[in-house]
Amino acid sequence: MTADQVTAPGRGRVYGHLALTLAVLTATGYLARSHWSVLETGALRLALADPAWLLVAAAAAAVTWMCSALAQQGAVLRPLPARRLVAAQFAADAVGQLVPAGLGSGAVNLRFLMRCGMSAGRSATALAVKATAGGLTRAALIAVLATASPGVLGLPRPHAGWLFAAGAVAVLAGLLMAVLWPQCRAALALVLADIRAVHARPCRALALWGGSLGFAVLHAVVLIAVTRAVALPLAPPLVALLYLTASSAAALLPTPGGLGSFDAALALALTAGGAPGVAAASAVLGYRLLTVWLPLPPGLVVLALLVRRKAL
């Protein structure tokens, strides 16, 4: 087997991700141009927002990287250098805004764990353990909030077409699992083994789940504080539910940092939840400013320092 044959599937996946990313960004650019007046008014409203609430949002955003570091420490048994771990999460988040599908942040964290003496396989498994805990935590929060606020998500009533579509998706998922299962079984076995090992040590399990919960909750708090800053009249539990739902849906599209996909999903969710278009645009812009654009330059500087000091 030649090198070209080995790398062709990988190149195909990369090209597919790039094509989908370009399609999403193109659609986002078209929507932004079509609603430019709303975005412009929303930006002006954000400029006049309550600074006290924006400070609360900024503080919550800063703590999210500590929660991410706590969850990553909980996913491994050996102690990691705390300061470098937090710095690596900050740098990984910055890189994740530039590379689609979490590839950038995953690569930074993988390299950091390997620099800490872990093998490549164990490092990848630790990332999978953290991602699994994060996904389950988000799903649990959505279930709790949706149960507490029935009818909020506005799901359509099921009918024959929806049932047929759901059945088709289930069949396709089953076929895909049947094809991929032989390749994923060994990796899944390692992940499950590491999960059992982590939960055999209560302090690690607490760090894993506590950090994952704190990360999701604090990101919701950032959005809640921004909505308060721009005087958006939505209840905090509703805002948290809309954020978690939108971010989970946007994760299905591999755009850098959810650019376009997350923004559109969150704006649509807030509007569906009863927010005026201008206020929803202000909230999305404020959230992105505090969690993406302002931390991006210092995050890249931290990345360069970690690489220079051979911590990555």
Side-chain angles (χ1 to χ4, degrees):
M1 182 176 292
T2 66
D4 290 339
Q5 289 175 321
V6 172
T7 58
R11 286 201 301 266
R13 287 192 294 270
V14 170
Y15 293 152
H17 282 161
L18 289 176
L20 184 56
T21 298
L22 290 175
V24 173
L25 293 179
T26 300
T28 302
Y30 174 78
L31 289 174
R33 183 178 179 182
S34 302
H35 299 84
W36 183 253
S37 61
V38 174
L39 293 175
E40 191 174 21
T41 307
L44 178 61
R45 182 169 178 170
L46 179 63
L48 301 174
D50 185 343
W53 277 112
L54 291 180
L55 285 175
V56 172
V63 182
T64 59
W65 295 297
M66 300 179 189
C67 290
S68 180
L70 183 63
Q72 189 61 79
Q73 176 61 87
V76 299
L77 297 179
R78 68 168 60 195
L80 301 173
R83 293 176 61 183
R84 281 195 292 155
L85 177 58
V86 175
Q89 303 311 302
F90 187 49
D93 187 66
V95 177
Q97 310 305 327
L98 305 176
V99 182
L103 297 178
S105 57
V108 171
N109 279 312
L110 181 68
R111 186 67 178 171
F112 170 75
L113 293 176
M114 292 175 64
R115 283 290 190 182
C116 291
M118 297 177 59
S119 66
R122 285 298 179 188
S123 299
T125 303
L127 296 181
V129 170
K130 179 187 176 186
T132 301
L136 291 176
T137 300
R138 283 177 173 267
L141 286 172
I142 290 174
V144 170
L145 290 172
T147 302
S149 306
V152 164
L153 295 180
L155 296 176
R157 293 182 178 180
H159 53 79
W162 284 99
L163 293 176
F164 176 78
V169 170
V171 171
L172 290 175
L175 292 175
L176 183 63
M177 180 59 69
V179 172
L180 296 179
W181 176 248
Q183 303 174 14
C184 297
R185 182 169 53 189
L188 181 60
L190 288 175
V191 172
L192 292 176
D194 276 19
I195 289 176
R196 287 193 294 268
V198 164
H199 284 80
R201 299 178 63 178
C203 60
R204 288 290 187 262
L206 181 61
L208 174 64
W209 294 103
S212 299
L213 178 62
F215 183 83
V217 169
L218 284 171
H219 269 282
V221 169
V222 174
L223 182 60
I224 290 169
V226 171
T227 61
R228 294 298 184 186
V230 298
L232 179 55
L234 291 180
L238 173 59
V239 175
L241 177 59
L242 295 176
Y243 160 74
L244 291 167
T245 305
S247 60
S248 299
L252 300 176
L253 294 177
T255 56
L259 180 62
S261 58
F262 174 77
D263 303 281
L266 183 57
L268 179 61
L270 291 172
T271 304
V278 172
S282 297
V284 174
L285 289 172
Y287 174 84
R288 292 300 250 174
L289 180 68
L290 293 173
T291 60
V292 176
W293 303 119
L294 288 180
L296 182 59
L300 295 178
V301 171
V302 170
L303 174 67
L305 290 175
L306 289 174
V307 171
R308 183 177 179 180
R309 296 176 181 178
K310 298 183 179 180
L312 290 179

